[in-house]
Amino acid sequence: MSKFGDLLGGKTPAPAPAAPTQPAPVAVPSEPVEVIAPEPIQEIFESDVSIDEMSKDELEEYGRTLGIELDRRHSRKKLIKELKEHLTNS
C-alpha cells in the first residue's frame, strides 16, 4: 500500500532519523596548498587600439569602462558615434 494509503488506514509514519549533533571532521592537507592568483584583466586603452578599428564586442566593453552601456543590436558606425559623443561630452 502507498504511504498515503497507510495514513488513511490509521498507521503512523516511522520517525525520521536524528540529525548528527557534531559537524563532520574537516580533512586538513598534510602539505601546504599552492594558491594560484588569477591573471590580471587587460584593459583596453585608446592608445592601444583605435575606436574605429574595434569590433562591436570591443566597443561595448570599452563603453562599459567609460560608464556607458551600448546596444550591440545597433550598427558598428552608430556605436562608434555614441562613444565619440560620450567622450566629447565628458
Side-chain angles (χ1 to χ4, degrees):
M1 191 175 258
S2 69
K3 290 182 181 181
F4 183 70
D6 291 342
L7 291 174
L8 287 177
K11 296 181 182 177
T12 58
T21 56
Q22 296 180 354
V26 178
V28 179
S30 58
E31 298 177 12
V33 178
E34 181 181 347
V35 178
I36 301 172
E39 295 182 20
I41 298 173
Q42 180 182 7
E43 294 186 27
I44 300 174
F45 297 100
E46 278 190 63
S47 60
D48 294 343
V49 179
S50 171
I51 292 176
D52 297 319
E53 298 171 0
M54 290 183 183
S55 68
K56 288 172 84 170
D57 292 333
E58 292 171 333
L59 289 168
E60 183 184 31
E61 280 184 40
Y62 182 64
R64 285 183 181 152
T65 63
L66 298 175
I68 182 174
E69 186 66 31
L70 298 173
D71 189 353
R72 281 192 323 211
R73 294 177 289 183
H74 296 176
S75 69
R76 194 173 149 273
K77 285 183 180 183
K78 184 166 182 171
L79 297 178
I80 292 171
K81 181 180 175 184
E82 288 179 31
L83 267 177
K84 287 184 177 182
E85 287 175 0
H86 181 75
L87 288 172
T88 56
N89 293 337
S90 300

